[in-house]
Structure formats: structure tokens, C-alpha cells
């Protein structure tokens, strides 16, 4: 049942390719909107034109479509709350900023960049590590709170540039309820007077975000944890305008994989050299001088936390190296982590930066959504594989955790393997037909549809299917040397000659009949059936592992299997 009062939005900035953290935010908004019978909206927040990247908006829309998360309203799908690009709405924000000034919730600040830098220097000299323009600083800066009214009017009349800043109230506790974290409380003294409206006539994120959410009747704001520090400012803005605030939910971070999962005895020297190279470049030191230090710090991957603890006896170089490794190994998942560890962190490829996406890496949309769904949410059951309708039914913010969720590349691959195995074989028929044509094989769809399900059992990605199926289309020209060396013996030649004779005489050539003939041959010759099973596979396929052996035999057919056995005996005997 639809509910027009439920409206959720995904509001990315088109500053480059969309990180999987952003897609997860879109997914959770989509799931909650659909579960509650509401509307899912895409809004492009492109007020920061300096950071705008051409093609990024199209990338975002394409990524959502590929993942199966179509938006109900947004660019190209106009509803009654458009336009859905903030750059096309910029004419509306000035009036709202001036309204706040009139209500004494904001003020005009004429400070130049030199004024601001002097303020920062003064605060740093006084021991303030992170200087900010706040309720205390505004008392001695050039703004409409400190300047006489006639001077303010004169400056405006002369066209002097100014910004409009939020006037944070003194001595207040700002409280709001987060649907994931519960009550959040912040003292107003901790906030700065954010710029709401810039001198170039463009709003900042804070003003545009609140105005748009109100005008678009957004009921729930579901976004990443990185926006939690901005939430008190947004709560104040809703109060300043006299508007009802939406429900807030701030999602946990997606964290880097556990270092112990990839820092092994065989890989730690490679990663040590890589980290040392990056560190040397950043701190302008010789890589050879720091490599032994990084080798020592990564010597015991199972005890990294203790090895990277700060120690007052550490040299400056060692302390910096420890801090660098902590940042590289722990914390929020970044693009660099994907490059370093060999897995995608973006939904689609982004050619401008040579980035490979999940789609191009062979991940299926359903698997991709399951990967993201489980990064922060759990269903409260043992079920791990969900179709999108099942996710919608099961999803709730109550089951989203507060703590960051570690990304697990192996688990991601497992999800794709499960979805691949559950896929309809016909879906891969175009791939096989194209590859067969390219290779010059004349095969019918019926034969391909016997082959595809068998290789699907062993593949993780769709691009692995055709290479795994090679022996279904041509006789192997060489054999797994390890298996041959281990299994070929004096009795092998006679066994396979006898087996070929049995197979030639079979009336109905099925997997069951072929397996029975194999066992009859072994029993007749007084041989343990397991003695030559792997060698049988190698003579038929050339490789020592793969789908069910006798299913392969059935698909190939009696004549082809007998021919391969006879050729194998001739080559190996």
C-alpha cells in the first residue's frame, strides 16, 4: 500500500564515481521507502561547482539502474517537487538565507580571506588546534552583529562581497533522536557559525540540503555517519525556519578489511615494500631507509594492534610510520584499499581514473546488493541470500548497527558465486554463443544449455564460465602433469582400454550408465574404483578438477569420450 507521506532521498554530489558506501546509502533509503510504501528520490547536490566532474551525474544514475534501484523522482523523472538538481534551484535559496537574517538566526559577514587567516593564526597562537568561526569569534569580526547598521547598509550598497552565516545560540544543548544511535546531544559551544550562503550567490550544502528536504517533503534522512557532526546544525536550521524536522538515521562506516586476512607470511613483504614506498614519497625519505622499519612493524600480522601502539620512546620516524600504518590498515574503506588489495570499491568502471567496477568485474546486481545490505544491517536470522523483494520485506533501521562494518572481499566473492549458481542458464547463452562463434565451433543452443549449468557450479564470475568450458568443445592437447605422474601406472593402459570397450557397448549413454560401466570395469579387473577416477577426468578434460565427472561424460557423449580415452592411452602409454 502506498503512503505519500513517506519520502526518502539519495542526494549524492557529482564529484566523481560513486563509492560503494554511497550505493549502500541509496540501497538503505530505497529499501525503507519501499517497505513503508513510499517514494525514493534522487537529488543531485551540485552546489559546489568547483568540484563538479563531467559525467559523474550520468554515472550515478547508471549505477542505480544497474543495481536495480530505480528512483521514482529525480532528473529525467520529474515529480511535483522538481527540479532535482540543486544548480537548477539556486534562485530559491537566497530568499531563505535572508529570511534567517530577518529572524536573527543568521547574519552577514564581510570578512576577507586575510581577515579569516589572521583570526586562525590568533587562535592557533592561543593554543586552539582547530580554529573556527563561532559564537565567540563572531564578536570581534566584520559582520552585521558587530558593525553599525548604517555601515552594513553602506557596504552592501557598494557591492562589497559578504556571506551569510548561521547564528548559533549560546549555552544550549542541542538534542535530536537518531533512529540508529538513539538520543544525540551536543553543546552549542562546540559548533561553528556555518556559512549558509556564499558571496557568489550559491548556497552551501547545509542551507540547500535543509531547504530542499523541506520543500520535497522528505520524511526520513538516511545518510552516512560522516554527516553526524553536521546534524546539530541542521536541527538548528529546522528550528530557525519553524519547520518539522525529518527522522534522522546515520549509517555506520564501511571499514577496511581485517589486515590479518591479507597480511600473511607470503604477502607481508610485498605490502611492507608498498607501504614503505608510499611513506617515503609522502615524507620525502629514502625507501631503503624505512623498509626495514616497515618489515619490523608488520612482522607479526596477528598482533598488529600492539605493534602499532604509540610509545614515547619511539623515534620521530618510527612514530610517523606507526601512524601511517594505522591509517592505511584501519578505518574507512577507501579507493586506495581496492587498488592495493585487488577488489572494486565502485559499482561501475570509471575510465577517467582507470577504475574497474563491480559490474565489469563480473558481479551480478543481486549479489552486489546483498554484499552492501550486509555491511551494517543484519536480518536477525541465519539467512544470507536475499532477493530484492525479500530485502525490502526484512529491512528495518532497528537492525542497522552503530559500529563500522568491515568489508570482506572473500565474502563478496562468495555472494556472487551463490547468485551465479542460482541464475538461469539461459541468461549466459549469449556469452557462450558469441565465444563459440569467435572460436569457430559449430554448436547448437541445446548443447550449450547442457554445458552451462555444469560450469556454473564451479565459477564465481560470469567471465570464468567460457574458459572453464573449453574441454566441452575440443579434445585436450595436454594433460595435468601432476595427476598423470601420480596416477598413471602399469595397469592404467589396460583399464582404460577395457573401459572404452564397455562404454562403446552402452545402449543409453547417461551419467549413471557411464558411472556404472566405470565401476564394472574396476570390479572386473580387481581394482579399487578410486584408483583411476582423477586420471579418467584428466584423459577426458585435460584438467584434474571441475564439475561432476560423469555429468561431463554424459554431455560429451559416448563417441567423444571413447575417442578421448583411446587418444589418451596412445599418448600416455
Amino acid at each position: 500500500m502506498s503512503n505519500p507521506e513517506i519520502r526518502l532521498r539519495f542526494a549524492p554530489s557529482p564529484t566523481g564515481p560513486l563509492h560503494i558506501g554511497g550505493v549502500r546509502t541509496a540501497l538503505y533509503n530505497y529499501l525503507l521507502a519501499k517497505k513503508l510504501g513510499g517514494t525514493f528520490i534522487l537529488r543531485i547536490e551540485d552546489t559546489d561547482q568547483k568540484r563538479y566532474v563531467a559525467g559523474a551525474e550520468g554515472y550515478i544514475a547508471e549505477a542505480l539502474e544497474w543495481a536495480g534501484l530505480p528512483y521514482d523522482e529525480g532528473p529525467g523523472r520529474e515529480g511535483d517537487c522538481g527540479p532535482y538538481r540543486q544548480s537548477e534551484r539556486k534562485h530559491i535559496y537566497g530568499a531563505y538565507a535572508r529570511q534567517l537574517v530577518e529572524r536573527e538566526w543568521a547574519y552577514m559577514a564581510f570578512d576577507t580571506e586575510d581577515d579569516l587567516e589572521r583570526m586562525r593564526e590568533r587562535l592557533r597562537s592561543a593554543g586552539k588546534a582547530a580554529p573556527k568561526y563561532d559564537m565567540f569569534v563572531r564578536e570581534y569580526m566584520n559582520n552585521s552583529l558587530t558593525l553599525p547598521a548604517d555601515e552594513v547598509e553602506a557596504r552592501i550598497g557598494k557591492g562589497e562581497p559578504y556571506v551569510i552565516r548561521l547564528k548559533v545560540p549560546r549555552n544550549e544543548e542541542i538534542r535530536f533522536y537518531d533512529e540508529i544511535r538513539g538520543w544525540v546531544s551536543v553543546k552549542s559551544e562546540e559548533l561553528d557559525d556555518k556559512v549558509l550562503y556564499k558571496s557568489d550567490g550559491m548556497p552551501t550544502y547545509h542551507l540547500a540540503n535543509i531547504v530542499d528536504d523541506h520543500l520535497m517533503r522528505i520524511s526520513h534522512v538516511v545518510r552516512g555517519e560522516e554527516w553526524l557532526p553536521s546534524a546539530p546544525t541542521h536541527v538548528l536550521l529546522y528550528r530557525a525556519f519553524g519547520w518539522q524536522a525529518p527522522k534522522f538515521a546515520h549509517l555506520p562506516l564501511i571499514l577496511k578489511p581485517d589486515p590479518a586476512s591479507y597480511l600473511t607470511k607470503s604477502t607481508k613483504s610485498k605490502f611492507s615494500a608498498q607501504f614503505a614506498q608510499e611513506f617515503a614519497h609522502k615524507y620525502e625519505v629514502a625507501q631503503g631507509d624505512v623498509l626495514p622499519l616497515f618489515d619490523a612493524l608488520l612482522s607479526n600480522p596477528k598482533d598488529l594492534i600492539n605493534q602499532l601502539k604509540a610509545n614515547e620512546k619511539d623515534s620521530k620516524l618510527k612514530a610517523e610510520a606507526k601512524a601511517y600504518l594505522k591509517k592505511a590498515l584501519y578505518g574507512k574503506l577507501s579507493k586506495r584499499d581496492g587498488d592495493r588489495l585487488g577488489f572494486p570499491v565502485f559499482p561501475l568502471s570509471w575510465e577517467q581514473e582507470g577504475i574497474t567496477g563491480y559490474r565489469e568485474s563480473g558481479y551480478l546486481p543481486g549479489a552486489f546488493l546483498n554484499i552492501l545490505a550486509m555491511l551494517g544491517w543484519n536480518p536477525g536470522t541465519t539467512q544470507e541470500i536475499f532477493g530484492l523483494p525479500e530485502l525490502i520485506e526484512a529491512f528495518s533501521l532497528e537492525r542497522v548497527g552503530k559500529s563500522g562494518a568491515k568489508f570482506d572481499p572473500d565474502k563478496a566473492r562468495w555472494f556472487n558465486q551463490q547468485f551465479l549458481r542460482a541464475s538461469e542458464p539461459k541468461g549466459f547463452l549469449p556469452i557462450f554463443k558469441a565465444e563459440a562463434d569467435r572460436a569457430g565451433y559449430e554448436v547448437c543452443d541445446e548443447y550449450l544449455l547442457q554445458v552451462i549449468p555444469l560450469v556454473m557450479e564451479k565459477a564465481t564470475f560470469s567471465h570464468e564460465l567460457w574458459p572453464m568450458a573449453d574441454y566441452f568443445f575440443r579434445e585436450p592437447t595436454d594433460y595435468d602433469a601432476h595427476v598423470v605422474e601420480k596416477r598413471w601406472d602399469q595397469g592404467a593402459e589396460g583399464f582404460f582400454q577395457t573401459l572404452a570397450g564397455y562404454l562403446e557397448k552402452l545402449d543409453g549413454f547417461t551419467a549413471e550408465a557411464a558411472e556404472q560401466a566405470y565401476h564394472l570395469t574396476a570390479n572386473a579387473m580387481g581394482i579399487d574404483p578410486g584408483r583411476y577416477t582423477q586420471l579418467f577426468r584428466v584423459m577426458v578434460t585435460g584438467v584434474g578438477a571441475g564439475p561432476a565427472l560423469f555429468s561431463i561424460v554424459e554431455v560429451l557423449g559416448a563417441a567423444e569420450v571413447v575417442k578421448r580415452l583411446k587418444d589418451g592411452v596412445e599418448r600416455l602409454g
Side-chain angles (χ1 to χ4, degrees):
M1 183 179 293
S2 64
N3 186 342
E5 294 185 1
I6 301 298
R7 294 173 61 83
L8 288 92
R9 55 38 168 204
F10 175 52
S13 297
T15 55
L18 186 63
H19 188 274
I20 59 171
V23 187
R24 185 195 61 173
T25 298
L27 171 62
Y28 284 12
N29 274 278
Y30 180 91
L31 294 177
L32 189 59
K34 298 307 171 185
K35 171 140 190 187
L36 300 178
T39 302
F40 175 57
I41 299 162
L42 174 65
R43 185 173 75 222
I44 301 298
E45 301 201 334
D46 57 350
T47 54
D48 190 345
Q49 290 295 299
K50 291 180 181 178
R51 297 181 63 219
Y52 177 83
V53 174
E57 181 185 324
Y59 178 100
I60 291 165
E62 186 180 353
L64 295 180
E65 288 294 322
W66 171 73
L69 305 175
Y71 52 91
D72 302 306
E73 294 178 23
R77 297 176 192 169
E78 303 296 320
D80 61 357
C81 294
Y84 295 89
R85 295 183 187 91
Q86 285 185 337
S87 60
E88 296 173 1
R89 302 167 62 86
K90 61 183 179 182
H91 61 282
I92 71 173
Y93 302 114
Y96 286 100
R98 289 187 289 275
Q99 186 183 127
L100 291 178
V101 174
E102 292 168 4
R103 294 185 176 194
E104 298 185 354
W105 269 98
Y107 57 93
M108 293 168 282
F110 298 90
D111 312 286
T112 65
E113 194 54 49
D114 287 341
D115 293 334
L116 295 172
E117 186 53 40
R118 282 193 293 271
M119 176 268 291
R120 296 185 194 106
E121 281 298 323
R122 188 163 54 247
L123 291 176
R124 278 193 285 263
S125 298
K128 292 273 189 181
K132 62 179 184 285
Y133 200 124
D134 59 15
M135 64 184 67
F136 306 109
V137 168
R138 71 189 179 210
E139 298 298 331
Y140 58 82
M141 299 298 286
N142 294 317
N143 55 59
S144 58
L145 300 177
T146 60
L147 298 171
D150 57 347
E151 183 176 344
V152 171
E153 291 300 321
R155 288 187 180 217
I156 294 173
K158 289 189 294 185
E160 189 171 329
Y162 65 89
V163 300
I164 294 179
R165 288 182 178 271
L166 175 66
K167 184 183 175 185
V168 175
R170 288 177 175 271
N171 304 319
E172 282 200 19
E173 183 181 31
I174 302 160
R175 299 179 78 240
F176 66 95
Y177 187 79
D178 186 282
E179 300 296 315
I180 295 171
R181 299 161 193 279
W183 284 102
V184 178
S185 178
V186 177
K187 292 181 179 178
S188 61
E189 288 81 1
E190 298 175 23
L191 305 180
D192 58 333
D193 288 2
K194 299 285 188 192
V195 174
L196 302 177
Y197 200 69
K198 296 181 284 188
S199 58
D200 63 1
M202 287 292 284
T204 62
Y205 166 81
H206 302 288
L207 178 65
N209 181 276
I210 298 310
V211 170
D212 287 346
D213 279 350
H214 172 71
L215 296 179
M216 293 182 181
R217 306 189 301 277
I218 299 303
S219 61
H220 297 70
V221 171
V222 180
R223 58 190 178 185
E225 181 182 310
E226 61 270 24
W227 292 111
L228 188 58
S230 298
T233 296
H234 298 172
V235 169
L236 282 178
L237 283 169
Y238 277 106
R239 194 171 118 201
F241 282 118
W243 297 337
Q244 176 68 41
K247 293 182 178 181
F248 290 103
H250 290 87
L251 307 175
L253 295 174
I254 298 178
L255 304 177
K256 302 172 190 286
D258 184 350
S261 68
Y262 59 86
L263 285 176
T264 64
K265 287 183 179 180
S266 61
T267 65
K268 65 182 180 182
S269 59
K270 179 191 79 171
F271 284 108
S272 179
Q274 188 176 346
F275 289 133
Q277 182 181 26
E278 294 169 3
F279 180 87
H281 178 74
K282 180 177 181 179
Y283 288 92
E284 298 182 345
V285 296
Q287 182 179 346
D289 293 342
V290 295
L291 183 55
L293 174 58
F294 277 77
D295 285 340
L297 290 173
L298 297 176
S299 61
N300 185 3
K302 293 182 179 179
D303 194 35
L304 272 176
I305 294 293
N306 289 325
Q307 287 182 259
L308 298 181
K309 279 183 180 177
N311 189 316
E312 60 182 17
K313 295 180 179 180
D314 289 340
S315 66
K316 181 182 178 182
L317 184 65
K318 188 172 185 179
E320 289 174 341
K322 284 184 174 181
Y324 184 85
L325 281 175
K326 279 185 181 178
K327 188 174 181 180
L329 296 171
Y330 301 98
K332 187 178 178 180
L333 182 70
S334 70
K335 168 186 173 289
R336 179 170 290 185
D337 297 314
D339 294 339
R340 180 183 290 136
L341 300 176
F343 59 83
V345 293
F346 297 96
L348 314 177
S349 291
W350 180 253
E351 292 182 5
Q352 291 90 319
E353 297 180 33
I355 290 168
T356 301
Y358 274 84
R359 180 179 66 182
E360 292 75 15
S361 296
Y363 282 86
L364 299 172
F368 180 62
L369 292 184
N370 267 242
I371 293 165
L372 297 184
M374 296 298 179
L375 286 170
W377 171 81
N378 77 81
T381 67
T382 57
Q383 183 177 350
E384 293 186 282
I385 304 299
F386 290 82
L388 187 55
E390 291 177 299
L391 278 175
I392 292 169
E393 180 65 28
F395 185 78
S396 71
L397 291 175
E398 289 76 16
R399 301 295 311 177
V400 177
K402 302 175 188 177
S403 302
K406 285 185 180 179
F407 184 83
D408 184 343
D410 291 334
K411 190 70 173 182
R413 287 186 283 269
W414 178 84
F415 273 118
N416 203 65
Q417 185 183 60
Q418 302 310 303
F419 273 83
L420 182 68
R421 289 178 179 178
S423 298
E424 179 60 45
K426 282 187 178 179
F428 300 110
L429 192 56
I431 297 175
F432 272 70
K433 290 176 74 170
E435 292 290 352
D437 288 344
R438 191 175 293 116
Y441 301 141
E442 294 185 11
V443 287
C444 63
D445 289 1
E446 182 182 1
Y447 181 74
L448 293 176
L449 288 173
Q450 293 180 67
V451 172
I452 293 171
L454 293 181
V455 291
M456 282 173 63
E457 294 176 11
K458 295 295 181 180
T460 300
F461 300 105
S462 57
H463 60 257
E464 297 172 349
L465 293 171
W466 176 258
M468 286 184 174
D470 181 65
Y471 49 76
F472 284 102
F473 305 98
R474 64 185 183 91
E475 185 175 346
T477 55
D478 50 30
Y479 305 103
D480 187 314
H482 175 72
V483 175
V484 172
E485 182 180 357
K486 185 177 179 181
R487 294 297 182 184
W488 187 268
D489 56 25
Q490 291 181 346
E493 182 173 343
F495 176 83
F496 286 109
Q497 286 175 336
T498 304
L499 175 60
Y502 271 114
L503 295 176
E504 281 181 310
K505 296 174 184 177
L506 288 178
D507 291 331
F509 196 78
T510 64
E512 293 77 12
E515 185 172 10
Q516 187 177 18
Y518 177 87
H519 283 276
L520 284 172
T521 304
N523 292 335
M525 299 182 71
I527 294 173
D528 180 353
R531 180 172 166 181
Y532 293 131
T533 305
Q534 193 177 26
L535 190 56
F536 183 19
R537 177 187 293 277
V538 167
M539 294 178 74
V540 172
T541 67
V543 293
L549 171 58
F550 293 100
S551 295
I552 295 172
V553 167
E554 178 179 344
V555 170
L556 287 173
E560 181 65 20
V561 172
V562 168
K563 180 180 181 304
R564 292 187 184 192
L565 288 179
K566 290 180 177 180
D567 289 346
V569 167
E570 186 176 335
R571 290 172 185 164
L572 299 174

